[in-house]
Amino acid sequence: MINTLESNWDRSGLPGWSYFSDELFELESEELFRKHWQFVCHENEILDPGSYTTIDRVNERGLVVRGNDLKIRAFHNLCRHRGSRVVSDKKGQCGKSIICPFHGWTYNFDGSLRGVPNKDTFVGTKFDTLGLIPLEMEIWNGFIFVKFKPSEQPSISSILEKFDAELSPFAIKKMIPVEGSEWSEVLDANWKSVRDVDNEGYHVRQAHPSLFDLYGKNYIDEPYEGGTSRSLGKFNDVPSKKWSVQRYRDILNQKNWLSLNELQRNSWLYVGVFPNLVFGFYPESVIYYYEFPISATKTVQKGGVLRHSDETREMKIARYLS
C-alpha cells in the first residue's frame, strides 16, 4: 500500500531539505538574487541632487543617487580604496559629493573620483580608473531596479511591458512615497516559504477576513509566465459586512479620481515579479513588498506605500481604510 501511494504521489513541489539547505541558499543568492532584477525604490524618493538610497542583498551593497544633472545612477556601494561603504545610511542627502567615511576618498555623483587625501603618497596610481563601479540599472514607471551581476535576463521594462497599458491610468510615475509607510521585519523562515504562501490566494478567507469581505469571492490568481504573475481581486457584488470595507467602497464610488475604468475602480490588482517582489495597485494608492534571504532559515521582508501627489482628503481616507 505504501509503495502504491508513493508512486501516485504528486512530487512537483520542492523537497523539504530545500528550505533548510545552506548550499542551496548560496546557489539561490547567486542565481536568483544577484543575477535577477532587484527593486530599490521609486524615483520620487530621491528628487534632489545628492539624494540617495542604498540596497543590501545577499552580501551585495548598492547605491542609487541623483546627480547634479538630475539623472539617477546606480553603483556598488564600495569605496575603491579599502572596500568600505561609501554611504553608510539607508537613505539620505549628500553635500556636494560622496565622501567615504573611512579614509575620506571623495566621489562625484556621476561616480567619478573627485579627491584623495594625501594623493601624492599613492605613487603610480591611475586615479582616473578608480571611480565607483556602476550597477546595471533600469527605471520602469518610476520604479528603480538594479542587477548586481551580468546575466541573460531581459530588461525589466520588457518583462513588465505586458502591464503597461493596464496600469497607465494609475499614473504611477507621478506618485510619491507615504511618509512613515515603509516597514521591515525579520522572519524565522526560508524566503521561499514566504513566497509560497503569498503567491496564491487560498489563505485569504482564513487569514484576511477583511480582504475576503472586500474581494474574496472574486479573487483570481494567474500563473507565473515570463517572470511575472497577475492576481485580481474584484470587489464582491454583495454589500460588505465590515464597516471599514463598506466605508472604503462608498468613498471609491463617489467619483473616478484617475479616469480608471469600471474594473479598476472596483478591484485590487497584484503584479508579482520573479523572484521576490509584489506590487499592489489600488484605486487610491500603490503598495509594494518584497523579501530576500539572509540565511537558509531567516528572511527579511520589506514594504511601503505610494500615494498620489494631488491626494484629496477622500483619497487619503480611502488609503487609510485600505
Side-chain angles (χ1 to χ4, degrees):
M1 177 64 72
I2 293 177
N3 291 334
T4 302
L5 287 174
E6 287 185 347
S7 64
N8 294 327
W9 192 259
D10 179 10
R11 296 185 179 274
S12 60
L14 293 175
W17 65 261
S18 66
Y19 293 83
F20 299 92
S21 168
D22 292 330
E23 291 81 3
L24 184 58
F25 161 70
E26 294 296 340
L27 180 63
E28 291 171 343
S29 296
E30 180 71 7
E31 298 298 329
L32 299 185
F33 289 89
R34 298 187 185 112
K35 294 183 179 180
H36 279 74
W37 292 103
Q38 293 296 304
F39 172 75
V40 182
C41 67
H42 192 279
E43 62 181 344
N44 288 336
E45 294 183 45
I46 48 173
L47 285 173
D48 301 318
S51 57
Y52 67 86
T53 189
T54 60
I55 171 177
D56 285 14
R57 298 286 156 84
V58 292
N59 294 324
E60 297 286 346
R61 309 194 301 257
L63 164 67
V64 176
V65 60
R66 191 178 288 272
N68 291 320
D69 56 3
L70 299 183
K71 290 184 178 180
I72 296 174
R73 299 176 177 87
F75 306 98
H76 286 274
N77 188 9
L78 186 76
C79 183
R80 300 302 303 280
H81 178 222
R82 293 293 188 189
S84 172
R85 298 174 188 267
V86 291
V87 170
S88 56
D89 294 332
K90 293 182 179 179
K91 59 176 60 179
Q93 177 72 43
C94 295
K96 295 181 179 180
S97 59
I98 302 169
I99 304 175
C100 176
F102 195 19
H103 290 111
W105 280 40
T106 305
Y107 300 87
N108 294 309
F109 299 144
D110 64 1
S112 59
L113 185 61
R114 178 170 180 166
V116 175
N118 301 325
K119 190 174 182 178
D120 57 340
T121 64
F122 293 84
V123 179
T125 301
K126 296 180 180 180
F127 291 104
D128 58 346
T129 67
L130 294 179
L132 297 177
I133 301 173
L135 276 178
E136 191 171 351
M137 185 198 78
E138 193 173 344
I139 301 176
W140 173 79
N141 277 320
F143 292 117
I144 302 171
F145 292 79
V146 298
K147 191 162 55 174
F148 285 103
K149 287 193 174 182
S151 68
E152 297 181 357
Q153 292 299 314
S155 69
I156 194 67
S157 295
S158 63
I159 292 174
L160 291 169
E161 66 180 352
K162 67 180 76 172
F163 302 108
D164 284 343
E166 183 175 22
L167 298 177
S168 177
F170 290 89
I172 310 163
K173 188 176 176 63
K174 297 180 180 179
M175 300 185 79
I176 60 177
V178 175
E179 186 175 355
S181 69
E182 290 183 295
W183 55 270
S184 177
E185 60 181 328
V186 177
L187 307 174
D188 290 323
N190 183 276
W191 74 277
K192 296 187 296 297
S193 297
V194 184
R195 266 308 86 229
D196 287 347
V197 171
D198 189 67
N199 277 344
E200 47 77 28
Y202 185 61
H203 67 282
V204 169
R205 177 190 291 268
Q206 185 69 23
H208 304 293
S210 292
L211 287 187
F212 189 74
D213 192 28
L214 179 64
Y215 61 57
K217 297 177 181 178
N218 300 307
Y219 185 80
I220 300 174
D221 281 316
E222 298 177 5
Y224 264 100
E225 291 183 355
T228 66
S229 65
R230 179 181 182 275
S231 300
L232 185 68
K234 185 179 178 182
F235 297 169
N236 295 323
D237 53 7
V238 296
S240 299
K241 297 179 181 179
K242 294 183 175 295
W243 174 88
S244 58
V245 178
Q246 184 58 57
R247 181 59 178 145
Y248 175 68
R249 293 175 62 178
D250 289 343
I251 293 174
L252 292 183
N253 288 330
Q254 289 179 9
K255 63 177 180 178
N256 186 8
W257 298 316
L258 298 169
S259 299
L260 303 178
N261 61 39
E262 184 177 358
L263 178 62
Q264 292 165 335
R265 290 197 304 270
N266 292 280
S267 62
W268 285 6
L269 171 67
Y270 299 93
V271 171
V273 185
F274 186 85
N276 63 327
L277 172 66
V278 175
F279 290 116
F281 299 97
Y282 307 165
E284 78 294 330
S285 60
V286 170
I287 69 162
Y288 61 84
Y289 56 93
Y290 56 92
E291 59 279 332
F292 56 91
I294 52 179
S295 74
T297 56
K298 282 190 180 294
T299 299
V300 174
Q301 189 173 48
K302 294 187 175 185
V305 182
L306 299 170
R307 67 175 177 85
H308 299 286
S309 57
D310 57 351
E311 183 179 65
T312 64
R313 180 175 178 271
E314 289 77 16
M315 294 172 77
K316 184 176 182 179
I317 294 173
R319 176 167 55 79
Y320 172 78
L321 290 169
S322 70

